[in-house]
Amino acid sequence: MPADNNVMEKLVSLAKRRGFVFQSSEIYGGLGSVWDYGPLGVELKKNLKERWWRSMVHEREDIEGLDAAILMHPKVWEASGHIAGFTDPLVDCKHCKNRFRADDPRIKGTPGEPDAQCPVCGSRGTLTAPRLFNLMFKTFMGPVEEQAAVVYLRPETAQGIYVNYLNVLQASRQKIPFGIAQVGKAFRNEITPGNFTFRTREFEQMEMQFFVKPGTDGEWFEFWKAQRMEWHYGLGIRREKLRFHQHTKEELAHYAKDAYDLEYEFPFGWHEFEGVHNRSDFDLSRHQQFSGKKLEYLDPATKERFIPYVVETSVGADRTALVVMCDAYREETVEGETRVVMGFNPAIAPLKAAVFPLVNKDGMPELARRIFDDLRRHFNVFYDDSGSIGRRYRRQDEAGTPYGITVDGQSVGDGTVTVRDRDTLLQERVAGDRLVSHLGDKLKM
Ligand code: ATP
């Protein structure tokens, strides 16, 4: 689909030009599939993380927050199954040295056999048989680089939650059902990364593990599935671009009882950006077995003991930011000119408003500055006094700033300003001293 590839190219270029996303270590030629967030990108991602935290932790009495360390005891990854199972079968081309997932649909023939054809250089018989490759990044703790000192950069945040489940339960005096939420970095040495920030080697996850009594897991699974879809609707993502995909028997992870991917239709096709999983009692049972510590729950009402089941919601902060950027990008013709607009929901837009003096004289810059100083105590706002007012509006359209506030000749006389809406282009006059509450109402979403 050339037209859609084009959209990705334009988005990547806008992301760099306007300071959403930069390639990591770009002056050294970049580091494969690692990205940095610039001034606008960091605000967008922070707003998404805060919104998730508010809906998961602050707005719910039955979920507690946690911030576990990235480095964990290596036994955690034995118990979780990551050391044995967190592998992708890979195929190398001995001729062009490219590496592929064994299930890469572009590979023709059987890797390892003479008929197999490399999808990049087209050579025949040069593909190796599939080999397993562990996706965890390994490093060493302490001064000696030896096997006994190996630690891993966590490939998911969930395990930090499982190993703290009893600590949180006791400290918070919660009762089952209850959940633990966490936002944090995860690392995977992905073999086939790409598509901009879609699959990266360092990323952030927003995960919530909900601990329930066995037998009630089906209901809670349905509950969380519905909640998560609603959350994405609330971000303003187009509904027709969102869908669930239920894992088939072949796709289900060994520990999972049921699993759904929440998918978005990216310009490069439908792909997962959140998983809702019924993980049964697999994780806690394994940690009980490997640590030798009892992780059972004693139901205070019935005196029953059991290992809770876990319903997990796991969404990538970076992937959600990519969904939001893809969904927001649009080109349109306004007054005979093409404009590029990032139509973010105002509540997650990096900048909430920009303040412009119409011209740099006659008291307008002084008043505009005063208004800007007042607003910046409440919202992330931007001041711009360079170029024509049309150009200044266009720059903010590209940044996705929902409101443009212009101080003109009338403002100096009566204290009112115009507020331009990014999407409708309508302008309304508002008293300068009412701007904080005016914008505050509009941004409550
Ligand atoms: P995939 O099949 O895309 O590799 P996964 O099924 O392994 O993903 P999970 O382990 O369920 O993904 O992780 C939950 C979420 O974490 C994903 O939906 C995604 O948003 C995010 N995520 C996982 N791996 C990456 C990555 N390499 N880069 C960016 N985000 C990721």
Side-chain angles (χ1 to χ4, degrees), residues 188 190 198-200 203 205 272-274 314 316 319:
R188 294 184 191 176
E190 300 278 8
F198 178 77
R199 190 184 301 286
T200 55
F203 55 97
Q205 289 186 312
E272 165 192 348
F273 70 112
E274 169 151 11
S314 172
R319 230 178 248 186

Side-chain angles (χ1 to χ4, degrees), residues 33 82 86 88 101 135 155-156 186-190 193 197-207 247 255 261-262 271-277 279 312-320:
S33 284
H82 281 87
F86 197 50
D88 269 356
R101 276 161 84 133
L135 298 182
E156 62 176 30
F187 303 83
R188 294 184 191 176
N189 198 359
E190 300 278 8
T197 56
F198 178 77
R199 190 184 301 286
T200 55
R201 295 194 164 107
E202 174 176 342
F203 55 97
E204 262 180 300
Q205 289 186 312
M206 306 189 282
E207 293 198 303
H247 283 206
Y255 51 76
D261 291 341
L262 228 156
H271 291 284
E272 165 192 348
F273 70 112
E274 169 151 11
V276 182
H277 308 130
R279 301 181 63 126
E312 162 186 77
T313 72
S314 172
V315 63
D318 308 82
R319 230 178 248 186
T320 307

Side-chain angles (χ1 to χ4, degrees), residues 20-121:
F20 283 95
V21 179
F22 306 126
Q23 204 183 3
S24 160
S25 326
E26 192 188 300
I27 60 168
Y28 290 97
L31 181 67
S33 284
V34 185
W35 298 89
D36 299 337
Y37 287 81
L40 293 181
V42 65
E43 294 292 335
L44 177 68
K45 202 165 109 170
K46 194 161 68 65
N47 291 343
L48 287 169
K49 289 188 286 184
E50 277 173 11
R51 194 176 168 92
W52 185 88
W53 191 261
R54 200 173 66 226
S55 78
M56 280 296 186
V57 183
H58 293 177
E59 290 177 4
R60 293 197 63 100
E61 282 181 84
D62 55 359
I63 299 185
E64 304 287 338
L66 179 76
D67 183 16
I70 288 171
L71 300 177
M72 301 183 74
H73 194 289
K75 277 224 153 181
V76 167
W77 307 114
E78 280 177 45
S80 71
H82 281 87
I83 286 180
F86 197 50
T87 48
D88 269 356
L90 296 174
V91 166
D92 288 311
C93 174
K94 287 185 268 189
H95 182 244
C96 68
K97 310 285 181 230
N98 272 295
R99 182 169 263 192
F100 316 93
R101 276 161 84 133
D103 61 1
D104 191 319
R106 297 170 306 161
I107 294 179
K108 294 197 187 75
T110 313
E113 302 292 326
D115 69 318
Q117 193 177 342
C118 172
V120 171
C121 70

Side-chain angles (χ1 to χ4, degrees), residues 278-426:
N278 182 342
R279 301 181 63 126
S280 70
D281 60 359
F282 174 81
D283 305 274
L284 291 181
S285 302
R286 292 275 290 191
H287 284 302
Q288 174 163 293
Q289 182 192 338
F290 279 71
S291 68
K293 294 273 177 340
K294 276 248 167 298
L295 296 179
E296 283 171 346
Y297 176 77
L298 170 65
D299 189 323
T302 64
K303 306 289 176 234
E304 260 178 285
R305 280 179 192 279
F306 57 85
I307 295 204
Y309 267 39
V310 170
V311 174
E312 162 186 77
T313 72
S314 172
V315 63
D318 308 82
R319 230 178 248 186
T320 307
L322 182 61
V323 166
V324 163
M325 284 196 282
C326 290
D327 209 63
Y329 182 90
R330 60 174 200 260
E331 289 170 22
E332 56 193 29
T333 308
V334 180
E335 292 147 12
E337 244 186 81
T338 305
R339 69 165 189 164
V340 172
V341 189
M342 294 299 274
F344 298 126
N345 171 348
I348 53 166
L351 289 162
K352 305 304 181 198
V355 181
F356 316 117
L358 185 61
V359 287
N360 276 316
K361 57 181 187 190
D362 302 334
M364 289 180 226
E366 292 77 7
L367 179 57
R369 271 268 157 209
R370 273 209 302 284
I371 287 174
F372 172 66
D373 285 339
D374 193 23
L375 288 179
R376 72 208 284 199
R377 290 189 291 125
H378 303 269
F379 315 107
N380 191 30
V381 288
F382 188 76
Y383 186 84
D384 190 1
D385 61 4
S386 69
S388 74
I389 194 73
R391 281 187 65 118
R392 283 183 265 170
Y393 284 147
R394 296 286 181 271
R395 282 202 287 263
Q396 292 310 313
D397 289 342
E398 270 192 345
T401 310
Y403 304 106
I405 297 165
T406 303
V407 171
D408 56 13
Q410 184 180 334
S411 312
V412 181
D414 67 7
T416 63
V417 296
T418 62
V419 179
R420 171 204 186 249
D421 183 294
R422 175 197 67 202
D423 300 324
T424 63
L425 302 174
L426 294 177

